[in-house]
Amino acid sequence: MDLRWTVDDLKTWTSALLRERRIVAPVVTPAGPVWAPVRDAGEVAWDYGRTAVSPREWLLPRHETLFAYDLAANPPQLVEAPLDAPPTVLLLVHPCDVAGVRALDAVMRWDYVDEPFEARRAGTLLVALGCATAPSPESCFCAAAGVDPAWAPKADVMISPVEGGYTVCALTAAGEASLEGAPKPLTAAPADAGRPAPGKAGTLALDVAAAAAALRGRFDDPVWESLSDACVGCGTCAYVCPSCHCFDVVDEGDWRRGERVRNWDACAFDHFTAHASGHNPRPRQSLRYRQRIYHKFVYYPEKFGHLLCTGCGRCVDACPAGMDLVEVLQVFEAAPAGQGGAR
């Protein structure tokens, strides 16, 4: 029995899903593929390479109203914002971006379950697409970051490119239910699913573990000044990242009425973590850049057991100043640890 699916088979399945769920998938635009809702399976970019921005915003929006307030009313009123969490399929998510969702899960479900995120996450079916080749050979280093480019164990459905088509595998009960009535048979998950051998997608070779270990002795190293010298503090690296999750909460309005909103933040911004008193614990760009690297490769792994970098390489390609995370990690990979320790 031929278990290979064609693109037409995937379209038929997608059309069935569209009857009950919103589908967010890569679509082609003049600026390249972007994540957007589709109304027809024909709009999906089935062989899209990589989007410039990750699908993170469909789970953690860039701007989100938490509640509205009216202090001029008698009595004062607080109105919670309605949850915008329709049943959704994130379709054709590469393993690096699935790993980004895993990073969001760990934070947003940690000591407090964030209700808006949880509502969207619980209603989202993750359909992954393995990479047969690196979408950006000059910047992809997912395998070095511990992500298998060919397999996404945290997805609900895994689509794997094979010669002459694709194989489709359900990894969760939700994924299996979504495939009822599928146009072609499914393949079984490998016996070692969850710990498969790294795929052969041609990602950059890098010893991230060695670099992370070396970081622990370089906190006070003057090298941070030169490594961050080109950084303009635009925050692009954080905005394209699948795993960054920092946000700011502000009131937009006046003393009488307005909204409390949550907006994405970025550690590169000069006001990031600035105190209301005016004190800024990281007044220089070098200190903010060091925070970014330590958060991804030291602090977050200590708390959650895996990197806060999925090796997607978007920050490398998007940085307007040409800063290259791979080159930065290679600096530490090649140098022995000094004194200072992680903080």
Side-chain angles (χ1 to χ4, degrees):
M1 179 184 296
D2 189 355
L3 300 179
R4 290 174 299 180
W5 289 42
T6 66
V7 170
D8 285 342
D9 294 326
L10 293 174
K11 288 181 177 179
T12 298
W13 176 54
T14 301
S15 297
L17 292 176
L18 272 168
R19 298 188 191 108
E20 298 181 350
R21 292 171 176 262
R22 175 180 68 173
I23 291 185
V24 176
V27 300
V28 174
T29 74
V34 300
W35 293 96
V38 299
R39 293 169 296 180
D40 185 275
E43 299 175 27
V44 177
W46 297 97
D47 185 16
Y48 70 99
R50 188 188 64 192
T51 55
V53 179
S54 79
R56 166 171 55 121
E57 65 182 307
W58 293 96
L59 294 170
L60 184 62
R62 301 184 190 199
H63 173 89
E64 181 172 28
T65 299
L66 302 177
F67 61 81
Y69 62 86
D70 187 346
L71 302 181
N74 188 15
Q77 309 236 336
L78 292 178
V79 180
E80 290 194 15
L83 289 176
D84 180 20
T88 298
V89 178
L90 275 178
L91 183 65
L92 305 186
V93 185
H94 284 318
C96 57
D97 286 339
V98 175
V101 174
R102 177 187 63 177
L104 298 181
D105 286 348
V107 173
M108 306 304 278
R109 293 169 165 173
W110 174 38
D111 57 346
Y112 169 79
V113 177
D114 185 271
E115 292 182 13
F117 173 85
E118 184 62 24
R120 285 185 287 269
R121 183 68 180 88
T124 297
L125 189 79
L126 282 176
V127 178
L129 173 66
C131 293
T133 58
S136 179
E138 302 299 322
S139 60
C140 288
F141 63 101
C142 65
V147 175
D148 185 341
W151 192 260
K154 296 299 182 182
D156 295 297
V157 175
M158 186 73 224
I159 300 175
S160 300
V162 296
E163 185 174 353
Y166 303 87
T167 59
V168 177
C169 176
L171 303 184
T172 65
E176 188 172 357
S178 74
L179 286 158
E180 289 181 4
K184 284 285 183 66
L186 308 182
T187 56
D192 58 350
R195 291 185 179 275
K200 299 177 181 178
T203 64
L204 295 175
L206 175 68
D207 191 342
V208 174
L215 276 169
R216 295 175 179 275
R218 309 292 291 274
F219 188 85
D220 294 321
D221 197 309
V223 73
W224 292 108
E225 297 292 339
S226 58
L227 290 177
S228 62
D229 191 49
C231 182
V232 297
C234 66
T236 296
C237 51
Y239 273 60
V240 301
C241 178
S243 60
C244 279
H245 50 264
C246 290
F247 57 80
D248 197 5
V249 175
V250 297
D251 289 345
E252 295 183 348
D254 56 33
W255 70 269
R256 292 167 298 184
R257 58 185 63 87
E259 294 180 332
R260 181 158 295 179
V261 302
R262 174 164 65 185
N263 300 310
W264 283 5
D265 205 347
C267 49
F269 295 160
D270 60 3
H271 58 274
F272 182 74
T273 67
H275 300 177
S277 66
H279 171 64
N280 190 338
R282 302 186 186 96
R284 302 195 308 278
Q285 204 62 39
S286 61
L287 304 184
R288 294 188 284 273
Y289 187 67
R290 182 184 64 185
Q291 165 63 20
R292 177 173 182 77
I293 301 300
Y294 264 70
H295 188 201
K296 288 192 170 293
F297 297 97
V298 178
Y299 303 146
Y300 184 97
E302 284 180 351
K303 183 176 292 296
F304 296 111
H306 50 81
L307 299 176
L308 188 58
C309 174
T310 70
C312 72
R314 287 187 175 94
C315 60
V316 177
D317 291 336
C319 180
M323 293 182 67
D324 188 330
L325 176 60
V326 174
E327 292 179 357
V328 170
L329 293 174
Q330 286 172 336
V331 167
F332 296 102
E333 175 190 5
Q339 301 299 318
R343 296 182 184 177

